[in-house]
Amino acid sequence: PPMKMLKPLAAALAVCAAVAVQARPLEDIQKSGTIILASEGPYAPFNFFKGKQLTGYEIEVGEAVAKKIGLKFEWKTVGFDALLTGLAQDRWDLVIASHAITEERAKAVTFTAPHYCSGGQIVSMTPAIAKAADLAGKTVAVQTGTTYLDAVKKVPGVKEVKNFPTDDAARNALGSKRVDAWVTDRFVAKEMISKLPKAGFKIGDMLFIEQVASAVTKGNQGLADAWNKALKELIADGTIGKISQKYFQEDVTCK
Ligand code: ARG
């Protein structure tokens, strides 16, 4: 009978609702004293390991903001794909891993103010592949789940888009000429060229621009507000600019 069926359904819905509101509000994080931050790890110079030490622009920005709010921090690192889903499961309070603000992602998470402005850039091994139109008939490597994947899919005539679990793996595919081009962040490309000047990588055009921000659980506005206020102050007093100079020799914050 339908009434009997409704009970388990109601129970299941209640569990879903409970899971959805589990995110720790700012007050709870403050009570515990420690914010749980999550990032990826193989995405230099934004988030990467120097030996066992997690570091990079976003790691230092995240730590500076946490301190400014008056919190200690603890890092978790997981694959790029698992970062936003882990937020929804309340496995960490905030993700800072170069996620651009997109409409699609904003359906699932709440974005903070951006900590850098950048864009997707074409990288190849030949000056003949530099513009979007040059990608026609070509194989292009991108990291799974990124805005680069979405952008390359929209370029007319691309022969194949190859997905890789990390951006590093996508770059290696280009380096070993298994693909014709790689689309990545412009600052990742810049850093790579300066680290490996003889590897033969050629920087092409930017395909699009984007604003990159942290993400908190959908609707965790109190945490987002505190983060935004602290970030704004750290941009104004030059702290973020200094971190940016250290990793990029330029200011990557949004103008
Ligand atoms: N900015 C791009 C995006 O929003 C790429 C992010 C890649 N992040 C990373 N940690 N590998 O999708």
Side-chain angles (χ1 to χ4, degrees), residues 61 65 112-115 226-236 240:
V61 168
V65 175
T112 67
H115 55 278
W227 192 270
N228 292 343
K229 181 171 177 280
L231 178 64
K232 200 175 168 185
E233 286 169 17
L234 292 170
I235 289 174
I240 304 294

Side-chain angles (χ1 to χ4, degrees), residues 40 43 47 80 97-100 105 143 145-148 210 212:
E40 189 197 11
Y43 197 58
N47 55 82
F80 186 65
S98 287
H99 287 90
R105 287 174 182 157
Q143 183 182 19
T146 60
T147 50
Y148 316 130
E210 62 183 15
V212 172

